[in-house]
Amino acid sequence: MPKLSNRVARLNEDGSDGWEVFYRARAMVRDGQQVTELTIGEHDITTDPTILEAMHRAARAGHTGYASVPGTDALRETIADRVQARTGVPTTRENVLVTPGGQAALFAAHMAACTPGDAALFVDPYYATYPGTIRAASAHPVAIRTRAERGFLPDPAEVHRLAADFRATSLLVNTPNNPTGAVYPRLTLEALASVVQARDMWLLSDEVYDTQVWQGSHLSPRALPGMARRTLVIGSLSKSHAMTGSRIGWLVGPEDAIGSLIDLATCTTYGVPGYIQDAAVFALSQGESAEQAVAEPFHRRRQIILDALEKQDIVGVIPSQGAMYLMLDIRKTGLSGRDFAERLLDQHRIAVMPGESFGRSAAGHIRVALTVEDDRLWEAVHTLCDFAKGLADA
Ligand code: PMP
């Protein structure tokens, strides 16, 4: 075969380190073994039947042809209204591009912000696709290291230094954060906004977990003074409405940027199925209580883990305020996150993600997804703590 382009051949330069645990757990389940899977961010419920009925109705009514590439007027307006209501920032449908999921919005955002070869900053630990997405846009990923002791929040002075050293054109932040659960405080976001303003950069704000905030409140940095003109917000119905498989999300930003990204969408996705967009309008019109109903189990289960951890002092927890995960510190066991996760899977059939899967900053940690029923989670976390204690005592 002829040589593959560097662009695709090098997408996963960081390797697959740490994802083996996830793949191995999946293989064990396929072999009929009972595994408690606390790995990826997938709800243990399916999309609400009323949303599926709306999808069905739309398809049966004939909305099965090519849909408008930027998104239907109805969905763009619904998203604009939602964003304006939640942030106070004037937003119209011209500020909205509908995308096949938040992932496509992340890609579009980097395509808009980075000319090939430009440096793009992102915060480590990070959602697994970030560096590859940046490379897919022919940009150069630059990780901003953070520390567990500081709640995995980026240090604005360090961000400024890296932005200047690499002449970065974009900074990607994610709050509430996957994998750490951090909800960035206003002061942090204001300081980061100052950096991107001083360096004339884009701020790319991944807000796909904005309905999962357990403490404090979500602040969209697009709402900070002067930021609407340099912020692209990534949104999605995957997490808020348990619609991961429907691939429906959006990008919100300045009208001109959205205009250019509509051209990009014409040459890449050619839009999102109309019946899925109609279902999304329906889902968003169900209001906040429907979103809270989807989020509530994660809030409850988070407390189950926090209560269990209170009773011991080997496994630490990183203070977190949102999202469907908890990051646990297992450094007292003397194992890496990866070795801990491998052994926990082998010995107890419990699958968690090694912190190392999310970058170097989360080494010695594991991420637990709050995605199994309460009883099973309770049992798993107690087993995990006993296992950790056994290792620490050995
Ligand atoms: N951003 C973050 C931080 C995520 O965790 C995810 C999915 N796990 C996405 C974006 C992409 O979500 P989707 O494409 O399903 O909307």
Side-chain angles (χ1 to χ4, degrees), residues 174-363:
N174 170 219
T175 175
N177 188 272
N178 174 15
T180 67
V183 172
Y184 286 19
R186 175 178 284 272
L187 278 180
T188 301
L189 288 171
E190 283 174 349
L192 295 175
S194 299
V195 174
V196 295
Q197 283 172 336
R199 300 280 322 159
D200 196 21
M201 292 162 63
W202 286 97
L203 184 63
L204 312 182
S205 181
D206 180 343
E207 303 181 17
V208 305
Y209 292 98
D210 68 346
T211 60
Q212 299 181 4
V213 179
W214 323 128
Q215 274 170 12
S217 54
H218 170 67
L219 171 64
S220 172
R222 180 168 175 263
L224 294 174
M227 287 304 289
R229 52 187 289 271
R230 61 174 68 251
T231 305
L232 297 170
V233 176
I234 292 104
S236 171
L237 289 174
S238 284
K239 312 293 172 174
S240 58
H241 292 78
M243 289 182 73
T244 48
S246 291
R247 313 308 305 130
I248 180 88
W250 60 82
L251 196 67
V252 166
E255 211 176 301
D256 288 354
I258 295 299
S260 294
L261 289 174
I262 292 170
D263 294 341
L264 177 71
T266 304
C267 308
T268 52
T269 60
Y270 210 80
V272 174
Y275 50 92
I276 291 184
Q277 296 197 56
D278 289 351
V281 171
F282 174 86
L284 289 170
S285 67
Q286 298 309 292
E288 256 181 53
S289 60
E291 295 167 21
Q292 276 165 12
V294 175
E296 169 50 32
F298 304 126
H299 188 199
R300 207 175 57 226
R301 293 169 188 166
R302 173 178 185 272
Q303 199 55 49
I304 290 176
I305 299 199
L306 295 179
D307 290 346
L309 294 179
E310 279 264 296
K311 301 189 192 104
Q312 53 85 60
D313 59 1
I314 305 297
V315 179
V317 63
I318 308 307
S320 74
Q321 302 81 31
M324 55 210 283
Y325 315 98
L326 277 177
M327 189 70 108
L328 307 183
D329 181 348
I330 50 91
R331 285 176 289 186
K332 283 191 185 162
T333 65
L335 293 188
S336 67
R338 186 175 177 182
D339 288 344
F340 185 93
E342 294 276 8
R343 289 209 213 169
L344 186 67
L345 179 62
D346 284 335
Q347 293 178 29
H348 297 287
R349 302 279 179 270
I350 297 170
V352 297
M353 291 299 288
E356 291 84 359
S357 321
F358 308 103
R360 294 202 292 163
S361 299

Side-chain angles (χ1 to χ4, degrees), residues 26 78 107 145 169 323 326 365 375:
R26 278 287 147 102
T78 304
F107 175 67
R145 297 287 297 274
T169 53
L326 277 177
H365 291 72
D375 292 356

